[in-house]
Amino acid sequence: MTAMTRTDTSQAEAFLEAAYARLIEGGVDAVKVAPLAEALTLTRTAFYWHFKDRESLLEALLARWEAKNTGNLIAQAEAFAETINEAILNLFDAWLLPDIFDARFDFAIRNWALSDAAVKAKVQANDALRIDALTAMFARFGYDALAAETRARAIYYTQIGYISMMVVETRAVRLQRMPSYVETYSGRALKEAEWTRFLARHST
C-alpha cells in the first residue's frame, strides 16, 4: 500500500472525529460505518481504505481516549510544582480545560464499558494508571503510602463522580469551591500566592 497523502490522513481523522461525535451523542451503538460515510459525503470504500472494519475504528476511539484523558491526566499529575497544593492545582487545570481532559469522552467510554467486558477491562486499567499517578504525586511531597493512596483516590473518585452524575455548575461556582477542595485533599492551607498563580492561568 502506498503512503497516505494529506487528503488520506484528513479523511481518516474526519471518520474518527465523526465517530467521536456519535459516541458522545448516542453511545457506541450510534457509531456505524454507513451513517458516518454518508454524513461525511464519503463512500464506504473510503472508510475501508483507512480502517479494516468498524472494530478498528472503535479501537482508534479507545486509543484516542487513552492518549488524551489518561495521558494528559498523568502529565498534569507529574508536572512541576513546589508544593502539594500547586500539584493539585495543576491537576485541576484538567477539570477546567476540555483540551486537556474531555469529561464527555470519559462519560461515553464508561457507558460503553457497561455493555462490553473488554472495554470495561480497559477502563479499569486506565483508572489504575491514573490513581497510581495521583498516588505518586502525593508521595513525592512526603505523604506516607497509605495517606498518598487514600488522598489520590479521594480526588479521583470525586471527579469521576462529577462525570458520572453529570454535575452541572458554572465556571464561577467551580472556581469558588476549588480552594476548599485543595485543602480537603492535601490537608494543608492554600497560600494566596498558589491560588493567584492558578487563577492567572484561567483568567480568560
Side-chain angles (χ1 to χ4, degrees):
M1 183 178 292
T2 59
M4 291 174 65
T5 66
R6 179 176 298 180
T7 300
D8 292 331
T9 304
S10 297
Q11 284 186 359
E13 184 58 31
F15 274 113
L16 187 57
E17 187 63 29
Y20 161 82
R22 286 180 177 266
L23 178 70
I24 297 298
E25 294 167 6
V28 68
D29 289 341
V31 182
K32 298 184 183 299
V33 175
L36 288 174
E38 182 178 356
L40 294 170
T41 63
L42 294 170
T43 64
R44 293 180 65 178
T45 300
F47 173 85
Y48 289 112
W49 171 258
H50 303 294
F51 300 96
K52 179 181 177 181
D53 49 26
R54 177 176 179 267
E55 188 62 31
S56 296
L57 177 64
L58 295 180
E59 289 174 1
L61 275 175
L62 281 171
R64 180 176 180 175
W65 167 73
E66 286 186 278
K68 180 168 187 176
N69 281 11
T70 299
N72 286 349
L73 189 149
I74 291 172
Q76 292 300 117
E78 294 176 346
F80 173 78
E82 293 184 350
T83 67
I84 183 58
N85 286 342
E86 285 190 346
I88 293 171
L89 289 171
N90 285 340
L91 185 66
F92 282 9
D93 287 341
W95 309 155
L96 291 174
L97 300 173
D99 286 346
I100 297 177
F101 186 93
D102 187 338
R104 295 189 307 160
F105 204 0
D106 231 62
F107 181 82
I109 295 293
R110 290 177 189 281
N111 275 351
W112 178 7
L114 295 175
S115 59
D116 189 311
V119 176
K120 180 179 179 180
K122 179 80 72 174
V123 168
Q124 290 174 335
N126 277 266
D127 284 339
L129 290 172
R130 297 173 185 184
I131 291 170
D132 284 349
L134 297 180
T135 300
M137 180 185 77
F138 279 100
R140 79 176 195 258
F141 289 99
Y143 292 81
D144 65 40
L146 180 58
E149 183 184 1
T150 302
R151 291 174 188 275
R153 289 179 181 275
I155 289 180
Y156 190 64
Y157 293 160
T158 298
Q159 184 57 29
I160 296 305
Y162 259 84
I163 294 169
S164 299
M165 294 173 65
M166 296 183 286
V167 173
V168 177
E169 60 186 8
T170 66
R171 180 185 180 87
V173 167
R174 178 154 256 205
L175 284 170
Q176 183 181 42
R177 291 172 175 164
M178 279 184 167
S180 293
Y181 276 127
V182 171
E183 293 180 346
T184 298
Y185 296 142
S186 72
R188 300 176 186 177
L190 180 65
K191 297 177 181 178
E192 183 176 352
E194 295 169 333
W195 183 239
T196 298
R197 283 193 291 272
F198 176 77
L199 287 179
R201 301 201 294 269
H202 300 281
S203 59
T204 57

